[in-house]
Amino acid sequence: MNLKIAIQGIQGSFHHQVAHQYFDKNVQLHECSSFREVVTSLKTNQSDKAVMAIENSIAGAILPNYSLIDKNELHIIGEFYLDIDMNLMVFPNQKIEDITEVHSHPIALLQCADFFSQYPHIKLVESSDTAITAKRIEEGLIKNMGALASSVAAKTYNLEIIAKSVHTVKSNKTRFVILKNSNQEIPKELINKASIKFELEDNPGALATVLNVLNNSKLNLTKIQSLPVIETPFTYAFFVDVVFEKHKHFEKAIKILELMTKHFKVLGEYQSAN
């Protein structure tokens, strides 16, 4: 029986690409309209695993997704870095002068703003997903409208790419995490990266002390993201990614951090994709 993978978006989306590249092309997709729906799919066992974007090299961290993973007790079991390539696609046999509107995800539109500044006649319209407009154009045989999406979306929905790689910063990557309800996925000896979460009081030196523990335990910090704890003013939650050579070094750090911090949690242990 094929794995069923929850993704935000539809076929042709970047989440779709990651699902097929991380697993294989035979997986079943559960297409979700929002990240919250992705979580529901996992929690209700409609899906076996899920793919979720967590940060982009240009736009930064997707903060709501950190909270979704934490509050719903999901576990990160893997990660995947995808090169993001934005292309302008249309119903075949049109020129860019014919296009009056381009629809895409707001982050995609932002990343391609310099390109569209050359074409002031084109109105930019936000949508929920990069691929959904491509599908809409094909189904409705819509002319004068463009979609900003991947080459996979163009192929999936039989559209013509009239401008390739229109994003301003060419080195554009998004990090996706692979999620599951349980944390046991790969043997301990293969694990070399972990995501943890903890809370600290707003006291001088509190975070510096934690960072010293990580360093002394031979962990290399690759990501730190803070979020205020809404229910407790002036208290902060920190989401941290660390890499290490030996799992015992991570285990040593955990024992110390559990005593030093509040609400300490391991969000996932997995293999680094870098």
Side-chain angles (χ1 to χ4, degrees):
M1 184 176 178
N2 293 337
L3 283 174
K4 193 166 188 180
I5 310 300
I7 63 168
Q8 187 274 321
I10 62 174
Q11 288 196 38
S13 67
F14 293 115
H15 282 82
H16 165 215
Q17 289 184 57
V18 173
H20 279 181
Q21 290 184 46
Y22 185 87
F23 299 101
D24 61 56
K25 294 187 182 299
N26 294 321
V27 296
Q28 289 182 275
L29 296 180
H30 183 202
E31 300 174 357
C32 303
S33 60
S34 68
F35 288 118
R36 192 170 294 277
E37 190 179 325
V38 168
V39 171
T40 300
S41 176
L42 266 184
K43 299 301 289 184
T44 57
N45 296 314
Q46 296 177 68
S47 301
D48 301 303
K49 300 176 184 179
V51 172
M52 180 181 285
I54 199 72
E55 61 180 309
N56 176 262
S57 58
I58 299 172
I62 305 174
L63 298 181
N65 287 357
Y66 280 92
S67 294
L68 283 174
I69 294 169
D70 178 31
K71 292 181 179 179
N72 290 281
E73 302 290 338
L74 299 179
H75 296 277
I76 300 170
I77 60 167
E79 65 177 0
F80 190 91
Y81 289 84
L82 182 71
D83 289 314
I84 303 299
D85 190 34
M86 296 293 183
N87 304 279
L88 178 59
M89 56 198 68
V90 299
F91 194 81
N93 301 317
Q94 294 185 91
K95 299 178 180 179
I96 197 165
E97 290 76 19
D98 302 323
I99 306 306
T100 57
E101 289 187 3
V102 169
H103 296 231
S104 194
H105 190 278
I107 292 179
L109 295 174
L110 180 65
Q111 292 173 350
C112 303
D114 285 357
F115 173 81
F116 287 108
S117 67
Q118 306 171 67
Y119 304 97
H121 71 284
I122 296 178
K123 180 182 178 181
L124 302 180
V125 181
E126 295 183 358
S127 64
S128 61
D129 178 66
T130 54
I132 201 164
T133 301
K135 181 179 181 182
R136 180 182 165 200
I137 290 172
E138 184 204 33
E139 290 180 343
L141 308 178
I142 301 174
K143 296 184 178 181
N144 308 117
M145 179 188 290
L148 197 57
S150 70
S151 58
V152 173
K155 184 177 180 179
T156 301
Y157 300 110
N158 302 304
L159 300 186
E160 180 181 340
I161 295 176
I162 58 173
K164 295 182 178 180
S165 302
V166 297
H167 44 289
T168 303
V169 181
K170 299 309 176 186
S171 178
N172 182 4
K173 290 180 180 288
T174 293
R175 178 186 176 221
F176 296 78
V177 290
I178 313 303
L179 300 172
K180 194 178 176 183
N181 282 320
S182 59
N183 203 20
Q184 290 74 37
E185 183 70 14
I186 62 175
K188 186 181 292 186
E189 59 269 19
L190 297 180
I191 294 170
N192 64 351
K193 189 169 184 178
S195 296
I196 60 176
K197 176 250 181 177
F198 53 84
E199 294 178 15
L200 292 174
E201 298 287 356
D202 189 18
N203 295 328
L207 180 57
T209 303
V210 169
L211 297 182
N212 282 333
V213 170
L214 297 179
N215 182 60
N216 293 337
S217 301
K218 300 181 181 180
L219 306 187
N220 181 31
L221 186 148
T222 61
K223 171 76 176 179
I224 183 167
Q225 182 69 53
S226 65
L227 286 177
V229 180
I230 305 295
E231 301 83 1
T232 313
F234 306 110
T235 301
Y236 298 86
F238 292 88
F239 295 83
V240 173
D241 292 336
V242 291
V243 294
F244 41 85
E245 291 185 2
K246 297 181 179 180
H247 195 271
K248 66 179 182 180
H249 295 155
F250 177 60
E251 292 172 344
K252 174 186 174 183
I254 286 176
K255 291 178 181 178
I256 301 172
L257 293 179
E258 284 177 333
L259 299 174
M260 293 176 54
T261 66
K262 299 192 304 180
H263 305 298
F264 180 86
K265 182 189 296 184
V266 176
L267 299 175
E269 300 174 71
Y270 47 97
Q271 283 185 296
S272 171
N274 283 334

